[in-house]
Amino acid sequence: KAGVTQTPRYLIKTRGQQVTLSCSPISGHRSVSWYQQTPGQGLQFLFEYFSETQRNKGNFPGRFSGRQFSNSRSEMNVSTLELGDSALYLCASSPWTGSSYGYTFGSGTRLTVV
Amino acid sequence: AQSVTQLGSHVSVSEGALVLLRCNYSSSVPPYLFWYVQYPNQGLQLLLKYTSAATLVKGINGFEAEFKKSETSFHLTKPSAHMSDAAEYFCAVRRGGGADGLTFGKGTHLIIQP
């Protein structure tokens, strides 16, 4: 069974640009969540999608957005990139939405903003 | 709001010794608790989870954790450390209802001495 696939693995962007990251969940998983990992702030929840609807959102500015497609694949977009957006972005999937499910994480996309 | 405190950003043990990684949480409602492990340049792997069933939870790779409500703790243990256990370990909490995604601790870097 294939795991959570995130593309690309590495990305370098210039300040002010926008970026789109992609996540393919485990087959059959319908919930996709996104997390940002930085040395200073640690792991922070961005948002969760289930059945193409955003269910929850973390405390991030509106420059961070996402969507989920009918096949459960998800994308997140960051507009007007800032240096502080440099981070490892992790996608996680679970079979359903709900507190008790453990997430399966992808290997992440390492975004560097210069 | 919930929070997680992991005591000790770095823990060093000898190979074959007991591993104890500490996690304390705060939550206004009964929580769901998770331990994840992260190896360099990889995503997070679920070790185990507590979802209000048995208070002693067994996970993968010989790890286990005990939920102690009176102490608001969920410490991770392994009887005998192996060199391959060297990694970053994260404790996470999600409150019942799952409105906020996972809240992670800052992580504990486990070092195994030969």
Side-chain angles (χ1 to χ4, degrees), chain B residues 60-93:
Chain B
I60 61 171
N61 302 339
F63 284 95
E64 63 181 39
E66 186 172 7
F67 172 70
K68 292 187 177 181
K69 184 179 178 180
S70 61
E71 299 178 8
T72 60
S73 69
F74 190 56
H75 302 330
L76 182 71
T77 60
K78 182 175 180 178
S80 177
H82 191 272
M83 295 299 290
S84 62
D85 295 327
E88 191 82 16
Y89 291 79
F90 293 94
C91 181
V93 64

Side-chain angles (χ1 to χ4, degrees), chain A residues 35 37 48 56 98-99 103 106, chain B residues 32 36 38 94-95 97-99 102:
Chain A
Y35 289 81
Q37 185 176 25
E48 178 188 4
N56 309 305
S99 312
Y103 295 99
Chain B
Y32 295 103
Y36 285 89
Q38 185 176 35
R94 192 177 193 186
R95 65 189 174 113
L102 288 169

